[in-house]
Amino acid sequence: MQAARGASLISATDGSTPTDTPGPADGADRAVPGGPRPRRRLVLLALVAAAAYAVDVTTKVAAVARLEPGSYVEVVGSWLTLTLVRNPGAAFSTGTGFTEVLSVISIVATLVVLWVARRVGSTGWAVGLGLLLAGVLGNLTDRILRQPGPFQGHVIDFLRLPNWPVFNVADMCINAAAAIILVQAFRGVRVDGTREGDADSEPDSEPDSEPGSEPGSEPGSEPGSEPGSEPGSEPGSEPGSEPGDGPAGGDVDRTTRDPRP
């Protein structure tokens, strides 16, 4: 046992690596930036954005081709009807007098989402940002390509609920993305997948203790020595005794062996 402790102390002193039980290397379970996991989340974001954007564009084209302005087509009774509305404003027909400003805001929002998407490491954030990107791009496409002209185009809305403004699939994507992002924020999940409050710090250890020494031993004491003993003293000797001194009864033995004059 003393030999094992001594070998551990020697390996720690000369800088060699101790031959302890092998464990996983530091960072083995962590996702490396640009590695498979972040790349997988980025692919998920792109797939969600592409699918939602395709649905939005397809439904708008179908609405323009098959619906007449002012007409109503019941889908689920009076709870969901289809009607064609050309909206010059933002979501749910708000801000109708700021079409050009809304177009510029949409472009800036698209660039911000693409910038943030580079660090995505969470499935929730990937889905949320993908839906947000699809919604912003869907309405921006209408503002750029539809009449009356670039950055002034009217957005196609066609979904109608009771006592609710007419909207489209892009508006649904934006609101769903906002809900997902709020949930991730309340959960404390960052874009890169880490959580707020995570710390890599470990419990504080005694800085003066040397490797291989037992808990409670003083700095510089040899393994196996009792607490409070001086360095170099033999195990079992009393504190303050010099190396080589025997037990306390040794003085009496030397006195009895001294010859008398």
Side-chain angles (χ1 to χ4, degrees):
M1 184 174 182
Q2 293 290 343
R5 293 178 179 175
S8 176
L9 181 60
I10 292 173
S11 61
T13 304
D14 61 5
S16 60
T17 304
T19 57
D20 294 334
T21 304
D26 292 340
D29 296 331
R30 300 175 184 174
V32 180
R37 286 190 177 182
R39 196 171 301 160
R40 195 175 305 148
R41 302 295 189 275
L42 193 59
V43 171
L44 175 62
L45 186 153
L47 291 176
V48 171
Y53 178 77
V55 172
D56 178 67
V57 173
T58 302
T59 53
K60 287 176 179 177
V61 171
V64 172
R66 300 189 179 186
L67 296 177
E68 294 292 335
S71 64
Y72 296 91
V73 177
E74 294 185 352
V75 178
V76 185
S78 60
W79 288 99
L80 176 62
T81 57
L82 303 179
T83 183
L84 181 62
V85 174
R86 298 181 182 272
N87 174 22
F92 304 115
S93 301
T94 59
T96 55
F98 302 94
T99 305
E100 295 181 356
V101 176
L102 293 172
S103 299
V104 174
I105 293 176
S106 298
I107 294 175
V108 174
T110 301
L111 295 177
V112 171
V113 172
L114 292 175
W115 177 264
V116 175
R118 300 180 310 114
R119 301 186 296 110
V120 68
S122 165
T123 301
W125 276 101
V127 175
L129 291 176
L131 291 174
L132 181 59
L133 183 61
V136 173
L137 284 178
N139 288 337
L140 179 61
T141 302
D142 285 350
R143 293 191 179 99
I144 294 177
L145 300 180
R146 295 190 181 277
Q147 297 296 326
F151 298 99
Q152 296 179 351
H154 294 177
V155 177
I156 301 300
D157 292 333
F158 59 92
L159 297 173
R160 181 175 179 272
L161 297 175
N163 303 319
W164 196 261
V166 183
F167 58 97
N168 55 34
V169 175
D171 299 334
M172 297 170 57
C173 292
I174 293 174
N175 284 271
I180 294 174
I181 291 173
L182 285 176
V183 170
Q184 294 294 89
F186 280 119
R187 292 177 58 201
V189 181
R190 300 186 181 94
V191 177
D192 58 0
T194 60
R195 289 181 177 271
E196 294 180 0
D198 286 351
D200 296 330
S201 58
E202 299 179 353
D204 294 335
S205 57
E206 297 180 4
D208 295 332
S209 60
E210 297 180 358
S213 60
E214 297 181 356
S217 61
E218 297 180 357
S221 59
E222 298 179 357
S225 61
E226 298 180 357
S229 61
E230 297 180 358
S233 60
E234 299 178 356
S237 61
E238 298 181 356
S241 61
E242 298 180 356
D245 289 348
D251 293 341
V252 178
D253 294 339
R254 286 198 298 270
T255 304
T256 54
R257 288 196 299 269
D258 288 343
R260 296 182 180 273

